[in-house]
Amino acid sequence: MEERLEKPKAPSWSELPNKGQLALLTFVRLAEPITQTSMHAYMFSMIRWFDMTLSDGEVASKAGVLAASFEASQAVTGIIWGRLADKPWMGRKKVLLIGICGSLASIVGFGFSKTFYWALYFRVVGGVMNGNVGVMRTMISEIVDDKRYQAKAFLLMPVTFNIGIIVGPLLGGLLSDPVVQHPRFFGAGTVLGESVGTRWLMRFPYALPNVVMAFFTLSTAVLAFFILQETHRERKHRLDLGNRIWGAVRRTAICLSTGKKTTDSQGYLPLPRSPTLNANCPPSTDCFDSSDDSDNELRRSTGKQLPYRRIFTRNVLLTLLTHCLLATHVGSFLTLWFLFLSAPRVKPKHTASSKLDLAGGLGLPSSQTGMGISIIGVFGLMLQFGVFSSITHRFGVLATFRGATLIFPVVYALAPLLILLPMRSPPPQPADGAWLWTGMTSLLFLQVTGRTFALPLMQVLTNNCSPHPSVLGSLHGIASSVSSGAFSVGPIISSWVLGKGLKVNFVGLAWWLLAAESLCVQVTSRLIYEGDGHEIKLQGEDAGDGGTHHDAADNRHIH
């Protein structure tokens, strides 16, 4: 009896299925967070370079619009890309490649923009063409369909964000305006700088970090085309041109190195999605036992599609609302944080009469702003590869999510109080000193702790609330649009409020409104439950199709 009740151990990273495809998908995803976060390090300075007459409040407002424009345009087209990804004639991989190409064009155009409106245009183009967040989440759920591994598999997307937020701001801060920052390499009289300096970098001082990111994005497109496998259940067994070419190259390399011919006719193996996978079958076969009844039933039922209007069950709607509220304040935090770090310090006007004078920002330069943002990623990686799995396994997905979201209001309420810490240098010089960095790292550790648990678990809850497997791509497209809309609206509103606060010398207003909004997640999270991804049965489907059903009590833990 005791053995039957003993709880299994949390799965390790080595136990994840299809690790090669997951690793490749993670690498492809990595390009976007590095690109997006690198802009944060120099966006304030870039907007100032566009128009030197702008006030600090106007720069903050424009920075919010520029940061949110990518997410806003994603919100408009995310549902469309999700629907296209569900179509057998399109599939997941084609949508993913289109998104990467759109991002590549956006990165190059943004880096060579000379006005705010051109920069805004290229940000919008990148968002309109990019529905990759929802598509990648769908692909992960199809590569890893066992609920025991889902929390860890969905953790890979936030891992890329934390890597990106370490590398991106440092890269952006280091490479932006290189003629001024690195005159030894790009200044007048140097090898790279010619007689007056590197001319194209003087003309486009914020192009270099974007050129570097364009090459990285191009490499992800090449790898995805040749190696990434389709996961759509009606397309994954069809001929893929990129995989075919890669298989031919690989077989040729094997022949040249060993002198032996290979009989692999496809050059790749289909993803082992069925429990009837035959591990002993030769590489040239599909590795499925065609005589198995459940597999035949799966193949016969692939044409069944849940009507779009039936996606929106009560649990789906409440889960999407929770997703929206979470994305709003998480997205707003990053924008507020880098604007708060970059905004010039202001000497308090009422020092004698008021101890709570929250005027101005911290006035940190781009290099220190990048470091102040990168701390987030360092803490996030430590938590993701440390205690995430054990805590989630112990308390369950929903309970852990509810606990993690309690951290955010505390962080947002304390953030503006950093101004009141003792500093070594008086205003208007940049804030400095041990007290400042101790306070910053403490708040960032708390915020990252909440985000590290909340975001991947929100993805698990969204994935499992799907009423039917046939609409999984559509649901993730909807969730991506909702999230992108929140990520766009939140920073615009919060940066506008911060701009007003800078004008009236009260930056706490934006932070405390954000704290109030984050409390709403606690309400909605208590109205949702973790589904099984197949709650609605279509005609001809029995209770065993598409997944294992559990009672509500069983969904408290990942088994």
Side-chain angles (χ1 to χ4, degrees):
M1 182 68 175
E2 292 181 358
E3 291 185 2
R4 189 171 67 240
L5 295 177
E6 185 179 352
K7 194 171 184 178
K9 294 181 179 179
S12 64
W13 287 102
S14 61
E15 295 175 351
L16 283 177
N18 300 303
K19 288 184 283 291
Q21 288 293 299
L22 286 174
L24 178 56
L25 201 61
T26 302
F27 181 74
V28 172
R29 170 62 181 154
L30 187 60
E32 186 175 312
I34 293 180
T35 302
Q36 302 303 322
T37 56
S38 69
M39 298 175 184
H40 290 165
Y42 60 79
M43 192 176 290
F44 198 94
S45 302
M46 186 180 191
I47 295 173
R48 178 80 73 193
W49 175 73
F50 288 151
D51 187 351
M52 299 298 293
T53 64
L54 295 175
S55 66
D56 293 336
E58 291 172 326
V59 171
S61 298
K62 285 182 176 290
V65 173
L66 203 58
S69 57
F70 181 84
E71 301 287 352
S73 51
Q74 273 191 324
V76 175
T77 59
I79 296 177
I80 298 173
W81 290 121
R83 294 287 287 172
L84 287 173
D86 273 341
K87 301 296 182 183
W89 55 268
M90 176 64 81
R92 325 295 193 203
K93 184 174 176 178
K94 287 182 181 178
V95 172
L96 189 66
L97 289 172
I98 292 172
I100 296 174
C101 293
S103 294
L104 181 60
S106 172
I107 292 167
V108 174
F110 181 83
F112 286 90
S113 297
K114 297 195 71 173
T115 67
F116 172 79
Y117 293 104
W118 272 115
L120 181 63
Y121 168 77
F122 283 109
R123 291 279 289 167
V124 170
V125 168
V128 168
M129 296 292 292
N130 193 325
N132 287 356
V133 174
V135 174
M136 287 183 179
R137 290 172 183 171
T138 304
M139 295 181 77
I140 288 176
S141 69
E142 290 171 332
I143 293 172
V144 182
D145 60 351
D146 191 328
K147 289 184 69 175
R148 292 175 299 170
Y149 306 112
Q150 279 187 345
K152 192 173 286 290
F154 276 110
L155 185 63
L156 292 172
M157 295 297 101
V159 164
T160 63
F161 176 82
N162 283 322
I163 295 175
I165 209 170
I166 294 172
V167 177
L170 293 177
L171 188 69
L174 182 66
L175 298 181
S176 62
D177 203 0
V179 177
V180 175
Q181 286 203 87
H182 310 291
R184 293 175 56 188
F185 300 100
F186 302 99
T190 62
V191 176
L192 298 175
E194 307 168 20
S195 59
V196 294
T198 308
R199 295 180 187 274
W200 71 277
L201 290 177
M202 294 175 66
R203 187 179 179 189
F204 304 102
Y206 300 97
L208 187 57
N210 289 278
V211 169
V212 172
M213 283 312 308
F215 278 107
F216 181 64
T217 303
L218 180 61
S219 71
T220 66
V222 172
L223 289 174
F225 177 75
F226 287 112
I227 304 177
L228 189 64
Q229 297 174 10
E230 177 62 67
T231 62
H232 191 289
R233 58 181 180 174
E234 292 189 50
R235 285 192 59 88
K236 63 182 180 179
H237 299 293
R238 300 180 187 178
L239 174 66
D240 183 282
L241 179 61
N243 292 162
R244 187 83 176 196
I245 296 173
W246 173 251
V249 172
R250 189 181 64 177
R251 291 195 304 274
T252 301
I254 293 175
C255 290
L256 292 175
S257 61
T258 63
K260 297 181 181 180
K261 293 184 178 181
T262 176
T263 59
D264 184 358
S265 61
Q266 296 294 327
Y268 66 96
L269 295 177
L271 295 176
R273 296 275 291 123
S274 170
T276 61
L277 179 68
N278 184 354
N280 299 318
C281 64
S284 58
T285 67
D286 280 348
C287 294
F288 281 93
D289 182 1
S290 59
S291 64
D292 188 271
D293 292 339
S294 62
D295 189 60
N296 288 335
E297 178 62 27
L298 175 62
R299 292 178 185 272
R300 286 194 298 267
S301 65
T302 55
K304 296 182 181 297
Q305 182 82 19
L306 185 73
Y308 189 77
R309 66 182 182 278
R310 297 187 65 188
I311 295 178
F312 301 100
T313 64
R314 181 179 184 274
N315 192 44
V316 167
L317 292 174
L318 288 172
T319 302
L320 291 175
L321 176 59
T322 305
H323 199 161
C324 177
L325 293 171
L326 178 66
T328 298
H329 69 74
V330 170
S332 298
F333 171 79
L334 194 58
T335 300
L336 277 182
W337 186 253
F338 85 79
L339 290 176
F340 182 57
L341 297 185
S342 302
R345 292 179 70 192
V346 176
K347 186 176 182 180
K349 295 182 178 180
H350 307 290
T351 306
S353 61
S354 175
K355 295 183 179 180
L356 194 64
D357 199 330
L358 303 178
L362 297 177
L364 300 182
S366 296
S367 57
Q368 292 187 34
T369 300
M371 184 177 296
I373 300 173
S374 295
I375 295 172
I376 298 174
V378 175
F379 285 147
L381 288 176
M382 292 169 57
L383 291 167
Q384 285 166 340
F385 290 105
V387 299
F388 176 87
S389 295
S390 58
I391 291 179
T392 303
H393 184 73
R394 178 180 177 85
F395 296 103
V397 170
L398 196 53
T400 305
F401 175 79
R402 290 167 177 166
T405 53
L406 281 172
I407 299 174
F408 297 114
V410 178
V411 174
Y412 303 152
L414 295 177
L417 303 184
L418 290 173
I419 296 176
L420 304 179
L421 295 176
M423 309 290 181
R424 288 189 303 181
S425 302
Q429 298 181 45
D432 54 7
W435 281 104
L436 172 67
W437 286 97
T438 300
M440 284 174 55
T441 52
S442 299
L443 286 181
L444 287 177
F445 179 78
L446 289 175
Q447 201 273 344
V448 171
T449 299
R451 200 195 71 238
T452 297
F453 285 95
L455 291 183
L457 295 181
M458 187 72 256
Q459 293 176 20
V460 174
L461 291 170
T462 301
N463 185 78
N464 293 341
C465 80
S466 175
H468 193 270
S470 66
V471 295
L472 186 59
S474 297
L475 178 62
H476 278 295
I478 295 168
S480 177
S481 288
V482 169
S483 177
S484 297
F487 267 104
S488 62
V489 174
I492 290 176
I493 296 176
S494 59
S495 61
W496 179 81
V497 176
L498 180 66
K500 295 296 183 183
L502 289 172
K503 290 181 179 179
V504 299
N505 294 330
F506 187 65
V507 296
L509 180 62
W511 287 107
W512 294 338
L513 286 177
L514 198 64
E517 189 273 342
S518 66
L519 286 172
C520 297
V521 178
Q522 284 297 307
V523 178
T524 58
S525 67
R526 280 160 173 74
L527 301 175
I528 63 176
Y529 62 90
E530 185 186 357
D532 62 6
H534 199 164
E535 296 183 4
I536 296 179
K537 303 300 175 184
L538 300 179
Q539 186 176 3
E541 295 180 336
D542 57 40
D545 290 341
T548 302
H549 288 262
H550 304 280
D551 294 330
D554 293 333
N555 286 326
R556 291 175 299 175
H557 301 284
I558 302 175
H559 296 295

